[in-house]
Amino acid sequence: MLQELRRTFIVPAQKVYDGNFSPEMLFSDFMKVWFEIEKHSIARSTLGGYQYNIDSVIVPYFKDSGITLGKLKAKHIQAFYMDMIKTVKPATVKKYHANIHKALKYAVKMDLIPTNESEKVELPKIEKHTAKYFSSAEMIRFLEVTKTHKLALLFQMDL
């Protein structure tokens, strides 16, 4: 069945950009169109992250707000970041910011908006990760406690 499905699968047609950019278009729609234009210049390793951020987070958040590209203000973007920081880490919010900033930079370049409102927002501070290591005594205790575990060999090899 899988081979048959692979053989007969047809990639769904994507909505093609028709050239009608406008400050009156919804910001969420602009993000989708911008991604379709930009995706060919985004590194393959980054593409999936951009697509997830835009399709699953940014577009759904702004879609119901009714905010147009021309009416988008820093306060809207800041509110988005403040809402997101409740459920994701600051580094993830910075990734959302990178997508929004790059899209709005393009909008300025295309003379759709006068300024990049994302440049006015405050981003959350990323706390530096400090690695914690077992002391020698903790290591010996760990190996002793896990020696009968079914993954004991894996634990020993990983250390």
Side-chain angles (χ1 to χ4, degrees):
M1 280 180 19
L2 181 58
Q3 289 175 347
E4 177 64 17
L5 183 60
R6 284 181 178 165
R7 190 180 62 73
T8 60
F9 179 75
I10 299 171
V11 177
Q14 295 286 328
K15 184 178 177 185
V16 179
Y17 168 60
D18 64 3
N20 290 324
F21 270 139
S22 165
E24 288 78 36
M25 72 188 301
L26 289 176
F27 173 63
S28 57
D29 290 341
F30 172 76
M31 287 298 296
K32 290 189 286 189
V33 172
W34 168 79
F35 179 71
E36 287 303 313
I37 293 168
E38 191 70 16
K39 73 180 181 183
H40 303 290
S41 63
I42 298 171
R44 190 176 183 134
S45 59
T46 312
L47 191 62
Y50 270 47
Q51 187 161 17
Y52 176 82
N53 291 345
I54 292 166
D55 292 344
S56 301
V57 181
I58 299 169
V59 167
Y61 181 90
F62 284 99
K63 187 173 186 79
D64 294 332
S65 71
I67 298 171
T68 63
L69 176 61
K71 300 286 185 192
L72 181 72
K73 299 293 178 202
K75 66 181 181 179
H76 301 122
I77 301 168
Q78 191 73 66
F80 168 65
Y81 296 162
M82 296 304 294
D83 198 35
M84 292 296 111
I85 200 68
K86 295 174 188 173
T87 56
V88 299
K89 293 183 179 187
T92 303
V93 173
K94 285 195 174 189
K95 290 177 183 177
Y96 301 154
H97 175 74
N99 298 147
I100 291 172
H101 182 268
K102 195 168 183 182
L104 293 178
K105 184 176 178 181
Y106 180 80
V108 170
K109 183 178 171 182
M110 295 289 106
D111 295 322
L112 296 169
I113 55 175
T115 60
N116 186 337
E117 291 292 313
S118 71
E119 293 177 351
K120 300 175 183 179
V121 300
E122 294 293 325
L123 294 171
K125 183 179 177 185
I126 297 177
E127 294 181 22
K128 187 175 179 179
H129 175 72
T130 304
K132 297 177 184 174
Y133 301 97
F134 283 158
S135 66
S136 296
E138 290 170 328
M139 182 69 65
I140 292 168
R141 176 75 180 130
F142 174 76
L143 292 173
E144 182 65 33
V145 169
T146 60
K147 71 181 177 184
T148 59
H149 191 278
K150 65 181 179 181
L151 298 177
L153 181 59
L154 179 65
F155 295 149
Q156 292 168 11
M157 291 174 61
D158 195 38
L159 302 174

